[in-house]
Amino acid sequence: RKDDGRTLRNLTMRQPLLLSLGIFAAGLTFAPHAADASTPSLTVLGTAPTTWKVDPAHTTVGFRIKHMEASWFYGRFNEVSGTVIYDPEQPAASSISFEVNAASVDTHNQDRDDHLRNADFFNAKVHSKISFTSKKIEPLGENRMSVTGMLALHGVEKEIKIEAQFIGTGKAPWGELAGFETEFTIKRGDYGI
């Protein structure tokens, strides 16, 4: 406790929350991937607009937050879904929609997870979904893109801008895969948490 009686927990409520999304979207149709996987290119995604579904078994939505000003604490959400529509001829016409089940928060501690689900934090019974829907996508070169969209969290929706990186493509028994990754920081206080 501090001398003024506030706990460290209360003092850290304004700490940024860093979210990391590793999106591996599985699709049914996909152009052959590049021969040199060490230098992936968005051109390996084909020439026609393609709709990709997020593969929840190979997708990670993680977060970290400062704990007691002493260390970073990590967690994740286990239930995710979403769709990526990618048009290689007109990247600006592409779109991303992503949804996370707030109650699927997982920090490897049941008591803490239950606390994060309640009204002190995510209030998952009232605000069951965390979602992101793109409004604008701009190519940045080097397999990167700027994505502007609306993040809805805890009943609050705000526009954010993130940078996504194309990781590469692969083949699996259930079809072709394409991987993207992004990392961004938000202030949870902006969302009433």
Side-chain angles (χ1 to χ4, degrees), residues 1 29 37 40-41 51 62 64 67 69 74 83 94 96-97 173 190:
R1 296 180 70 91
T29 59
S41 169
T51 299
R64 75 176 187 175
H67 176 67
E69 296 297 322
Y74 295 83
T83 302
S94 302
I96 299 169
S97 62
D190 290 348

Side-chain angles (χ1 to χ4, degrees), residues 91-181:
S94 302
S95 66
I96 299 169
S97 62
F98 202 81
E99 194 170 87
V100 174
N101 179 358
S104 73
V105 65
D106 182 355
T107 65
H108 308 291
N109 180 288
Q110 188 64 50
D111 289 340
R112 182 171 46 229
D113 293 346
D114 290 341
H115 190 199
L116 288 171
R117 291 181 188 110
N118 79 19
D120 286 345
F121 292 95
F122 292 112
N123 200 2
K125 285 186 179 178
V126 176
H127 308 293
S128 61
K129 301 296 179 191
I130 301 167
S131 65
F132 176 81
T133 305
S134 66
K135 292 171 60 177
K136 181 179 178 183
I137 297 178
E138 300 172 282
L140 297 176
E142 299 179 26
N143 300 314
R144 295 177 301 117
M145 61 192 78
S146 172
V147 183
T148 302
M150 301 303 292
L151 177 66
L153 170 63
H154 197 247
V156 177
E157 189 173 40
K158 289 188 173 290
E159 184 175 284
I160 65 170
K161 189 173 186 177
I162 63 175
E163 186 175 307
Q165 174 79 39
F166 174 59
I167 304 301
T169 61
K171 292 183 179 180
W174 55 90
E176 300 281 344
L177 303 174
F180 293 85
E181 184 173 66

